Amino acid sequence: MVDSPDTDWAGVRLHVVTGKGGTGKTTVAAALALALAAGGRKVLLVEVEGRQGIAQIFDLPPLPYEERKIAVAPSGGDVYALAIDPEEAMLEYMEMFYGMRRAGRALTKMGVVDFATTVAPGFRDVLVTGKTTEAVRRRGKNGRRIYDAVVLDAPPTGRITRFLNVTQEVAGLAKVGPIKNHSELVNGVVKSPETAVHFVTLLEEMPVQETLDGISELRSAGLPAGGIFVNMVRESLIPQAALDTAVKGRFDPGELVLGLKAAGVADGAEASAIAEALAEEIAEHAHRTELERAERESLGEAGLKSYELPLLADGVDLAGLYELAESMRTQGAA
């Protein structure tokens, strides 16, 4: 792991998780929420894309537009979830700033909400990020924050900077008034030391390049980069010396033949055929391992801490989420 000024997570309360499609972004966000809640803390897990991904991962019915407890973390912490609906968020916004919730209900029937968020997509982003940052700021009657941390399952890497750069997005929409004031309040949280944007990737060329491009765009916009979660990492079961030999094309199947014979697995022509097939598999595995090593080096150039999460052989279920959460905690990610 590489240390840099960008990776100091002390005081971070909003963890934004992004990644290229297919990298397991929602799974990593869910596991991070469990990891952060461990030890008796209270964490809110938020999704904004309307896919009900959180409900699917935790094997729950579709989540309503309300915060509700969905899981108990290790050592007694609680994970709550919220699936933000832009239409409901807009109605809340209208009631909060204009006292127009009933009128807002009528407007939704007329399609004005869809019109507004389609013509000004930045406004939709302000609504959903605003709801998320409100949860970060919210305090109870005792003056303490309601949530110890909030984890946001955010849009994919290609859209993350625009999604978070709310002040810029609404600059042409409102120069003064509640919308501008609201966006500035949201921006104050998003660009503060309380926020960190984490990237999820695989050790493959396209996800790694998109991650590096996303980190560069984020920094250019003055947004806070967090860490890199390398997902679905496969552990090599072959000694490094054998891999190095296979990469160079010098692996001798004869050694495998001797091993097969000694183990009593096969003999004669059968042993030779099996050894040839195994040698091809080893060469392919060695080549993939070499490519993954190069991608790790590329990620290292970003100067962020990197955390590797194992590929779960049985797929991601609730037990798998706890396994990933434990891996994060072991590596110091939470």
Side-chain angles (χ1 to χ4, degrees), residues 108-121:
T108 61
K109 295 178 182 179
M110 297 169 57
V112 175
V113 171
D114 289 337
F115 176 78
T117 56
T118 299
V119 173

Side-chain angles (χ1 to χ4, degrees), residues 129-147:
T129 53
K131 182 66 175 178
T132 304
T133 55
E134 182 277 326
V136 174
R137 301 190 314 271
R138 194 188 312 155
R139 296 179 183 273
K141 293 181 180 180
N142 59 3
R144 298 182 59 183
R145 300 286 182 99
I146 295 294
Y147 293 106

Side-chain angles (χ1 to χ4, degrees), residues 230-252:
V230 183
N231 200 19
M232 305 183 205
V233 176
R234 291 166 287 196
E235 182 181 357
S236 178
L237 301 178
I238 301 174
Q240 188 61 48
L243 291 176
D244 293 340
T245 301
V247 167
K248 297 174 183 178
R250 299 173 184 172
F251 191 82
D252 182 9

